[in-house]
Amino acid sequence: KELLETRIRPAVQEDGGDIVYKEFDEDTGVVMVKMVGACSGCPSSSITLKSGIENMLMHYIPEVKGVIEAGDDDEEDGDD
């Protein structure tokens, strides 16, 4: 979560979007995040998620095996 806040989130915010950490499943090694702002619905966001965010998290945190985007039906936190 700290890596997301200090390294990844500022870069995403530069493009007018934001990324919110949702959860980490220790059993599967999957991190769930929510893309918001300009990133929400952006065709490039899935590429950013896989190529940038996933690769960086997997590089620095060996326990991370993948990153997925939380769906719209997941818990709402009123950021819409």
Side-chain angles (χ1 to χ4, degrees):
K1 186 174 181 179
E2 181 181 339
L3 186 61
L4 268 174
E5 295 292 329
T6 60
R7 297 286 201 129
I8 298 169
R9 198 165 178 219
V12 172
Q13 288 173 334
E14 282 181 13
D15 290 333
D18 203 354
I19 184 167
V20 179
Y21 170 85
K22 289 292 190 179
E23 67 179 281
F24 174 66
D25 186 330
E26 292 184 30
D27 295 330
T28 62
V30 173
V31 175
M32 185 178 293
V33 297
K34 178 79 175 168
M35 304 294 276
V36 295
C39 291
S40 179
C42 171
S44 301
S45 68
S46 61
I47 297 167
T48 299
L49 187 66
K50 287 294 178 188
S51 299
I53 299 166
E54 183 176 77
N55 286 344
M56 181 179 277
L57 288 176
M58 289 170 64
H59 176 77
Y60 287 106
I61 306 166
E63 295 84 7
V64 173
K65 304 297 181 212
V67 178
I68 59 170
E69 184 172 2
D72 290 334
D73 58 347
D74 288 321
E75 71 180 59
E76 292 293 325
D77 53 6
D79 286 347
D80 294 333

